[in-house]
Amino acid sequence: MRLIGRNIFRFAACACIGTLLFSSCETDLKEVDRIAAIQAEEPVDISQQVTVVYSDSALVKAKMTAPEMRHYNVEKPYYEFQKGVTIVFFDENGVETQRITSNYAIQKEAEELTEFRDNVVITRADGSVIKTEELIHDQKANTFYNHVPIEAYFKDGRGNFMGSSFHSDGNFENIEVQNSTGLYIFEDGKGPMFR
């Protein structure tokens, strides 16, 4: 009788422990389902193979292409380009003046700021190239700036320079570089486009 009582006690103890383990697993599974449901309801619109043309008074100013664009409909809406973006700028005759490419970008609507990050390359029509890991476009002021090192290569291999950060107008015509060092080969009395 004692042996049966002990077995019943062990069985009851095992049953209680099993119930506790099962119920904690069930709670964990419910938590996973709850988190998945929240993510599924995230207020985001996702578009694939995107092309957006920016125009003013029927003149095309720029064209943006991206493999994917996410628009987050939150309190402060924003666009995110997790797979990279390319923006090509045009003059009044439709001729390309420059292009910006990066592996990631985010456009904050309320702040009117666009941040390009990770392998940012600015290519001008004259062949000059600027490389950096961050580029910020202030849409209100139509300026570009950053706070990280940059490298620039002049057209025709006539020189290059590096700097700790820079500030520029919207056309990259007047670029001010902080703590710059570099080399430039002057020809015909013409200096570099950068200051």
Side-chain angles (χ1 to χ4, degrees), residues 16-171:
C16 286
I17 291 171
T19 303
L20 286 173
L21 289 175
F22 179 73
S23 64
S24 70
C25 288
E26 187 176 333
T27 303
D28 288 344
L29 290 175
K30 285 181 181 176
E31 182 67 11
V32 169
D33 289 342
R34 185 186 72 78
I35 291 169
I38 289 171
Q39 290 176 343
E41 294 172 10
E42 190 174 36
V44 59
D45 298 321
I46 302 173
S47 302
Q48 304 291 330
Q49 302 305 320
V50 177
T51 299
V52 177
V53 176
Y54 301 93
S55 62
D56 183 20
S57 304
L59 291 174
V60 174
K61 299 286 188 181
K63 182 171 87 170
M64 180 203 72
T65 56
E68 178 185 274
M69 179 177 75
R70 293 170 174 252
H71 183 224
Y72 291 85
N73 300 302
V74 291
E75 186 177 338
K76 289 188 174 182
Y78 63 95
Y79 291 90
E80 188 177 39
F81 304 89
Q82 296 179 356
K83 298 180 180 179
V85 66
T86 298
I87 300 179
V88 180
F89 297 88
F90 302 98
D91 66 12
E92 61 277 357
N93 298 315
V95 177
E96 179 178 334
T97 57
Q98 63 211 15
R99 70 175 50 212
I100 299 171
T101 62
S102 68
N103 292 342
Y104 174 87
I106 182 168
Q107 182 183 28
K108 301 172 181 177
E109 292 183 69
E111 295 93 332
E112 294 188 48
L113 292 175
T114 303
E115 298 175 19
F116 302 90
R117 295 186 207 138
D118 187 15
N119 194 29
V120 182
V121 179
I122 304 153
T123 307
R124 295 195 28 92
D126 67 4
S128 302
V129 176
I130 301 171
K131 295 182 178 182
T132 184
E133 289 300 309
E134 172 193 77
L135 177 67
I136 301 168
H137 180 223
D138 182 331
Q139 294 164 237
K140 286 183 274 192
N142 191 25
T143 58
F144 289 93
Y145 62 93
N146 80 351
H147 304 291
V148 300
I150 68 163
E151 298 176 27
Y153 304 91
F154 297 109
K155 60 184 176 182
D156 304 326
R158 287 194 282 160
N160 60 53
F161 76 86
M162 293 176 278
S164 61
S165 60
F166 84 99
H167 187 275
S168 170
D169 65 345
N171 296 321

Side-chain angles (χ1 to χ4, degrees), residues 172-189:
F172 290 102
E173 291 177 357
N174 296 305
I175 299 175
E176 297 175 10
V177 181
Q178 288 72 44
N179 304 312
S180 64
T181 59
L183 168 70
Y184 186 82
I185 300 168
F186 291 89
E187 291 181 11
D188 302 328

